[in-house]
Amino acid sequence: MNKRDLIDAISGRLGDKKTATEAVNAVLETIQQTVAKGDKVAITGFGVFEKAERAARTARNPSTGATINVPASFVPKFRPGADFKALVNGEK
């Protein structure tokens, strides 16, 4: 399912596509902005979005074999909640 499919599924519940598009965009933008600031977004039963730091490391170019220094960076991280895990495992 991509973003357009998600909007179509939600528009069936909300009534029209414009409202569904605005709702999906608002939720995604809010999550992205909050995580980018370094705050956590915890949605009970679904999961937690957070900002995680990746340490600097040495990597290897597979075609030349040369070592490359990869600088430290931040990445978004998602941890699924217990209810979401149970649903995926067919327990609910």
Side-chain angles (χ1 to χ4, degrees):
M1 176 178 274
N2 59 27
K3 187 176 178 181
R4 180 170 291 160
D5 295 336
L6 181 61
I7 290 170
D8 289 341
I10 292 174
S11 68
R13 290 184 171 193
L14 296 180
D16 66 298
K17 210 170 205 175
K18 183 179 179 186
T19 305
T21 301
E22 291 172 0
V24 169
N25 287 336
V27 168
L28 295 177
E29 287 172 15
T30 303
I31 290 172
Q32 289 172 344
Q33 291 171 359
T34 304
V35 171
K37 287 190 305 188
D39 296 333
K40 240 187 251 189
V41 177
I43 302 171
T44 304
F46 184 70
V48 179
F49 296 91
E50 58 191 342
K51 185 176 183 178
E53 185 175 4
R54 291 184 70 179
R57 63 191 190 283
T58 303
R60 189 169 298 278
N61 182 333
S63 61
T64 64
T67 58
I68 303 167
N69 291 326
V70 179
S73 62
F74 292 98
V75 293
K77 183 175 157 186
F78 175 73
R79 287 183 292 126
D83 293 344
F84 189 26
K85 286 181 189 177
L87 182 65
V88 170
N89 287 317
E91 298 170 8
K92 278 196 170 188

